[in-house]
Amino acid sequence: MKSLLVLVLLLFSLPALAVIETYTFNNDVDQRRYQSFVEELRCPKCQNQNLSGSNSPIAADLRGELYRLINEGKSDTEIVQFMLDRYGDFILYRPRFTPQTAILWLAPAILLLSGLVVVVMVLRRRSNSDQLVDLSAAEQQRLQTLLDEDRSDA
Amino acid sequence: MGRLKLFLPLLVFMLVLVFFYWMVARIGDGGYNPQSLPSALLNKPVPDFQLPQLEQFQNTLTEQDMQGQIALINIWATWCPSCHVEHSYLNQLASEQGIIIYGVNYKDEAAKALRWLQQKGNPYRFNVFDRAGGLGLDLGVTGAPETYLIDHRGFIRLRYQGPLNERVWQEKFAPLIQQLQSEQQEAAG
């Protein structure tokens, strides 16, 4: 029983926070803004990590910049613009809708639609092949003799 | 026909395999670098800065010192292994082809950087000493080495992440420099 409990407990883990430095803010709102920024901004040197998850030097620099910008009283849009001016759309995990990023936003809808089209086509073909074929009187009679022959053989 | 249809998944799998193999080969020979990003500053002027010169600390350099000629801006540091690899090629560009190269010594120690230039040769017109990485940040630098090509107006026209070599130069820089030269002549004439 005890070992079972241990096993079950092993299934859970606390999220590991890779960030080494800690910034303290004057108020809770700024603290939360910082948290959401480091979660939503992407490390420009890494393939797929946000600022909070990366220990690359550039990610540490950008966390420092965020701390500075927030303390300077910059608004969220100003901070996002600051990052965009330097690193482009890549830095946003939720990119803006622009001609370059349109494919990212539209691809799921396009894929879903094409999936639906395929499903409809398959269903339609299946119901067509299920339809009963009407036999003419001659064919009906031939079928009957075949069946009778079969029965007499057995 | 029905038989052939059975081989369709295999065929698709083979195509995917060929695609993956091709991409890995391209990463291997440097033809594709998944870490290189398009610069957000493309076709924009070099950002404003005011920083000391590495060679003469009392000198203050600004973006205007880099304007007027087609040139390279090279981000380097002594802690960066690829910069060692790249340095002899930069020397060659400067001495044999007469390319103007401005250096940005990025998050480095001045003494180490000066010793490096003394030992390995100095291909740079001058070096901006960017201890805090502020200019690097404004340029959108993600690491060293990085090289920017600027036109005669001081606008950024190309950003290359990684060490320069002959192949990269011939592929990316040389054709664009020719184009920039003709742009410059048109503007002058």
Side-chain angles (χ1 to χ4, degrees), chain A residues 44-47 57-58 61-62 65 82 84-88 90, chain B residues 34-35 37-38 40-41 106-107 136-143:
Chain A
K45 186 71 182 169
C46 323
Q47 287 302 286
I58 187 68
D61 283 2
L62 289 180
E65 279 305 298
F82 176 94
L84 281 176
D85 285 345
R86 284 156 184 79
Y87 296 99
F90 182 89
Chain B
Q35 289 196 328
L37 296 179
L41 274 84
Y106 177 64
K107 298 176 95 177
L137 194 91
D138 286 344
L139 278 167
V141 166
T142 62

Side-chain angles (χ1 to χ4, degrees), chain B residues 6-62:
Chain B
L6 287 175
F7 285 95
L8 207 64
L10 182 67
L11 204 74
V12 171
F13 174 71
M14 297 292 260
L15 279 177
V16 169
L17 210 67
V18 167
F19 174 74
F20 283 167
Y21 184 80
W22 180 63
M23 287 307 277
V24 169
R26 287 215 309 152
I27 291 172
D29 69 15
Y32 170 69
N33 177 5
Q35 289 196 328
S36 69
L37 296 179
S39 169
L41 274 84
L42 216 60
N43 296 319
K44 289 187 186 153
V46 174
D48 302 351
F49 67 89
Q50 258 197 329
L51 288 166
Q53 183 177 354
L54 174 70
E55 297 90 339
Q56 284 170 297
F57 249 70
Q58 66 279 13
N59 261 8
T60 303
L61 296 167
T62 71

Side-chain angles (χ1 to χ4, degrees), chain A residues 32 42 46 48-49 59 69-70 75 81-82 85 92 95 104 106 108-110 125 132-133 146 152 154:
Chain A
R32 251 174 283 149
R42 185 174 177 185
C46 323
N48 204 354
Q49 266 183 315
L69 292 168
I70 289 176
S75 73
Q81 196 55 48
F82 176 94
D85 285 345
L92 300 179
L104 289 174
L106 298 180
I110 292 169
R125 190 174 299 168
L132 294 177
V133 184
L146 280 173
S152 58

